[in-house]
């Protein structure tokens, strides 16, 4: 019969060897393929953050599985034993108690500090940061207003005459400031591949930043149950070249020039109108 300490050493050895095998797979194979991809600066940092979280989780997960597997193999009832009985009762084990408390405390404190600095270092990391974000990008920013309403999102471009469009098109390589608001109930603007998710609250200008670095499409979903047709509140956005964006926005301004007079003046938020279209 092995002693308690030799059981402990064996489980520790399996954990160390298992972690040494799994960790490179997590860092080099699983991590880079984590959601939401690398289509924007903030999406990329989310992939990196997800990888760090996985790396921290890996030794703990391996330990729990090693312990489970070891217990199943080593603590079986001896062959031929017909009457089940408990093992010897154990009271206290200072080294394992201290080790567990120290490692879990260090891991939790690290994650708290890491999470906070990641949010500050990446202009809010694609999240809605309220009307006055603590962390802002420097340099030129293209403001795009996202207006949630039952049951679609529309978009206004204040630097292009405040034109309102039904599609979201963005130029590649430009820092975008999404100003997310709502005309009616609470929605949530979620542009998955951009790594952007921000609540759309009526009367609130909720700002989120992202810089698209890849030409392509991205999915848009409402991520807040907002009424009967919430499930249909999705769309596909496009990231295009700066020249294609200029051409597109020019076309939109020409297309909607006739209705611009009926739109309210561009504002950070709009008062709902119970009779007509809100605004
Ligand atoms: Cu919605």
């Amino acid at each position: 019969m092995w002693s308690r300490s030799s059981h402990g050493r064996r489980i520790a050895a399996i954990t160390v060897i298992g972690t040494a095998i799994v960790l490179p797979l997590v860092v080099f194979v699983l991590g880079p393929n984590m959601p939401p991809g690398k289509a924007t600066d903030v999406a990329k940092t989310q992939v990196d953050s997800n990888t760090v979280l996985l790396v921290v989780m890996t030794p703990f997960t391996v330990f729990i599985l090693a312990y489970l597997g070891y217990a199943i193999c080593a603590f079986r009832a001896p062959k031929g034993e017909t009457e089940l009985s408990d093992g010897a009762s154990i009271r206290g084990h200072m080294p394992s108690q201290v080790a567990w408390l120290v490692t879990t405390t260090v891991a939790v404190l690290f994650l708290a500090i890491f999470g906070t600095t990641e949010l500050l270092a990446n202009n809010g990391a694609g999240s809605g940061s309220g009307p006055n974000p603590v962390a802002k990008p420097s340099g030129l920013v293209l403001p795009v207003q996202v207006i949630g309403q039952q049951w679609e999102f529309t978009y206004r471009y204040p630097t292009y005459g405040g034109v309102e469009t039904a599609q979201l098109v963005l130029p590649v390589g430009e820092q975008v400031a999404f100003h997310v608001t709502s005309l009616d109930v609470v929605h949530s603007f979620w542009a998955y591949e951009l790594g952007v998710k921000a609540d759309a609250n009526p009367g609130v200008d909720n700002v989120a930043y992202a810089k698209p670095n890849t030409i392509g499409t991205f999915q848009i979903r409402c991520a807040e149950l907002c009424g009967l047709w919430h499930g249909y509140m999705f769309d596909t956005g496009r990231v295009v070249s700066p020249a294609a964006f200029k051409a597109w926005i020019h076309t939109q301004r020409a297309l909607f020039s006739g209705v611009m007079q009926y739109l309210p003046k561009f504002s950070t938020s709009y008062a709902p109108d119970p009779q007509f279209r809100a605004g």
Side-chain angles (χ1 to χ4, degrees):
M1 200 67 172
W2 291 318
S3 70
R4 268 164 59 185
S5 61
S6 71
H7 285 308
R9 275 197 291 272
R10 279 159 194 270
I11 293 169
I14 298 169
T15 303
V16 170
I17 294 166
T19 302
I21 295 168
V22 176
L23 214 49
L25 296 174
V26 167
V27 174
F28 297 111
V29 182
L30 189 57
N33 295 302
M34 293 283 283
K38 298 180 178 178
T40 64
D41 58 340
V42 289
K44 188 177 174 309
T45 61
Q46 288 168 24
V47 172
D48 295 342
S49 300
N50 286 337
T51 305
V52 170
L53 296 183
L54 261 188
V55 165
V56 174
M57 276 171 59
T58 299
F60 292 98
T61 309
V62 172
F63 168 69
I64 290 164
L65 292 176
Y67 200 113
L68 179 69
Y70 188 89
I72 289 172
C73 297
F75 304 139
R76 299 174 73 86
K79 248 201 173 129
E81 186 173 287
T82 50
E83 209 170 303
L84 290 176
S85 59
D86 283 342
S89 62
I90 299 169
R91 295 186 71 80
H93 188 262
M94 194 55 84
S96 53
Q97 286 168 318
V98 170
W100 187 249
L101 274 178
V102 169
T103 48
T104 52
T105 303
V106 168
V108 168
L109 287 178
F110 166 77
L111 290 175
I113 295 165
F114 173 75
T116 308
T117 52
E118 280 293 278
L119 274 178
L120 289 173
N122 299 299
N123 308 321
S127 68
S129 301
N132 297 302
V134 175
K136 295 177 186 174
S138 55
L140 272 179
V141 175
L142 172 69
V144 178
Q145 186 174 50
V146 178
I147 307 171
Q149 58 222 275
Q150 289 171 322
W151 284 275
E152 64 172 331
F153 288 110
T154 55
Y155 311 93
R156 289 192 83 167
Y157 293 77
T159 40
Y160 294 93
V163 62
E164 183 165 350
T165 65
Q167 279 88 41
L168 178 57
V169 176
L170 303 169
V172 71
E174 258 187 65
Q175 182 75 56
V176 179
F178 296 98
H179 291 261
V180 184
T181 190
S182 170
L183 296 181
D184 39 47
V185 299
V186 177
H187 302 271
S188 176
F189 173 67
W190 182 27
Y192 173 74
E193 287 86 351
L194 300 187
V196 171
K197 194 157 180 251
D199 280 349
N201 298 317
V204 176
D205 175 28
N206 194 12
V207 184
Y209 298 102
K211 187 177 184 179
N213 54 32
T214 315
I215 288 176
T217 58
F218 56 90
Q219 302 174 68
I220 300 163
R221 292 264 189 287
C222 179
E224 187 74 53
L225 186 59
C226 59
L228 189 60
W229 301 111
H230 162 72
Y232 287 90
M233 203 166 157
F234 61 89
D235 205 350
T236 304
R238 283 188 295 140
V239 176
V240 299
S241 70
F245 174 76
K246 284 271 182 315
W248 175 81
I249 198 78
H250 181 76
T251 310
Q252 297 298 304
R253 289 184 75 169
L255 197 62
F256 293 113
S257 60
V259 297
M260 284 303 286
Q261 57 178 308
Y262 301 108
L263 281 185
K265 213 171 160 314
F266 178 81
S267 163
T268 53
S269 66
Y270 307 92
D273 185 327
Q275 297 297 317
F276 303 102
R277 179 203 188 283

